[in-house]
Amino acid sequence: MMKMLIVDDEEKIREVLKEYAVFEGYDVYEAEDGFKAIEIAKKENFSIIIMDIMMPKLDGFSAVKEIRKFSKVPVLMLSARSEEYDKLFGFELGIDDYVVKPFSPKEVMARVNAIISRANQNDFEESLIFRGLKIDLAGREVYVDDDKVNLTPKEYDLLIYLATNKNKAIKRETLLSEIWGYDFYGDDRTIDTHIKMLRNNLRKYRDYIETIRGVGYKFNEKALIEDED
């Protein structure tokens, strides 16, 4: 059974989400603040965490930052704040989706299921290898010349999507839809910022990710070979 952790200081919100999650077969744990969430996340292996931002003792952003030090569990963030910079900050921390309150529990569960589906879609493959760049799909780890590099969940998902669609030009809008699970109001900066960070982490293999002017990006598996010719 898949495990879910719901973190919110409002008991009614936890109750509503738990009701829908249990109905869909999740084993649900609860926490009322960020400190409690971190404590539980260290003890249990969750399929996903639903995390509120504004909470007493420790806010959701701080809790996610700490959880990311020991776990890559998918995180869906809840907030009454709809400002763009809050969303971007959350994605930079490594969250997978962002839902603004008030919300529909059905929509939240649809997003939860989409996140888990994307996380599991490559489970039956072992790895992708492009010269010294190795992507361990089962372990969700990336190696550059046998040196493990630390990617955020979004950077990893971007790399996987581009690599599994190698040599195809992918529109920014498509990346937003496929990776974030919904249209982020056409804000290309979200993609561009994550691509920049991803390229930096890929080091000498950064040129595998090619910018297609006016369109988006593509994973060009022949890029480094062409540079050597």
Side-chain angles (χ1 to χ4, degrees):
M1 179 181 290
M2 292 186 293
K3 294 182 180 180
M4 174 189 294
L5 174 60
I6 301 174
V7 188
D8 199 299
D9 60 322
E10 296 186 44
E11 184 177 0
K12 290 185 178 179
I13 289 180
R14 299 200 307 271
E15 289 178 353
V16 170
L17 290 174
K18 181 177 181 179
E19 181 179 356
Y20 278 79
V22 169
F23 180 78
E24 294 199 19
Y26 288 88
D27 183 12
V28 178
Y29 292 65
E30 298 179 46
E32 66 277 5
D33 61 65
F35 283 123
K36 187 67 174 179
I38 295 168
E39 179 183 336
I40 297 175
K42 287 181 177 179
K43 297 177 181 178
E44 300 291 338
N45 184 23
F46 290 105
S47 300
I48 191 166
I49 295 176
I50 298 179
M51 178 81 70
D52 186 29
I53 292 180
M54 302 301 292
M55 294 183 293
K57 297 184 180 180
L58 189 70
D59 65 274
F61 284 143
S62 299
V64 170
K65 186 175 181 180
E66 289 301 310
I67 290 172
R68 280 288 171 259
K69 293 180 180 179
F70 60 85
S71 174
K72 293 186 177 181
V73 58
V75 176
L76 184 153
M77 188 149 271
L78 301 177
S79 178
R81 298 158 59 171
S82 60
E83 288 83 358
E84 182 183 72
Y85 62 81
D86 284 324
K87 297 179 181 180
L88 290 174
F89 183 61
F91 289 130
E92 288 171 2
L93 287 177
I95 70 168
D96 294 81
D97 205 346
Y98 190 109
V99 176
V100 177
K101 297 179 180 179
F103 55 80
S104 160
K106 290 183 179 180
E107 179 188 358
V108 170
M109 290 309 304
R111 293 181 184 235
V112 163
N113 293 331
I115 291 169
I116 292 177
S117 176
R118 290 196 299 273
N120 295 335
Q121 65 183 349
N122 294 308
D123 280 354
F124 296 106
E125 299 181 60
E126 292 183 358
S127 62
L128 298 173
I129 300 176
F130 304 93
R131 302 184 72 182
L133 175 63
K134 179 180 177 181
I135 307 170
D136 178 357
L137 298 174
R140 286 181 65 85
E141 295 178 341
V142 176
Y143 296 85
V144 170
D145 294 330
D146 296 324
D147 182 19
K148 181 180 175 182
V149 295
N150 295 317
L151 303 182
T152 67
K154 276 292 177 289
E155 289 170 31
Y156 178 85
D157 289 341
L158 274 171
L159 178 59
I160 287 298
Y161 190 85
L162 290 169
T164 53
N165 290 278
K166 59 185 180 183
N167 304 320
K168 296 180 182 178
I170 309 295
K171 295 181 179 179
R172 287 179 173 84
E173 294 83 358
T174 300
L175 291 171
L176 282 169
S177 177
E178 293 294 330
I179 305 302
W180 275 262
Y182 65 105
D183 291 329
F184 196 58
Y185 304 107
D187 189 356
D188 293 344
R189 290 177 298 172
T190 301
I191 294 295
D192 296 339
T193 298
H194 282 79
I195 289 290
K196 180 179 179 181
M197 294 188 296
L198 175 58
R199 280 174 168 158
N200 289 338
N201 283 319
L202 295 184
R203 303 170 191 169
K204 69 181 184 181
Y205 300 111
R206 60 183 292 119
D207 289 342
Y208 274 135
I209 300 178
E210 180 181 343
T211 300
I212 308 300
R213 188 177 298 275
V215 178
Y217 298 94
K218 111 175 147 177
F219 190 96
N220 183 358
E221 65 174 332
K222 298 181 180 179
L224 298 184
I225 297 176
E226 292 171 353
D227 287 345
E228 293 176 353
D229 290 343

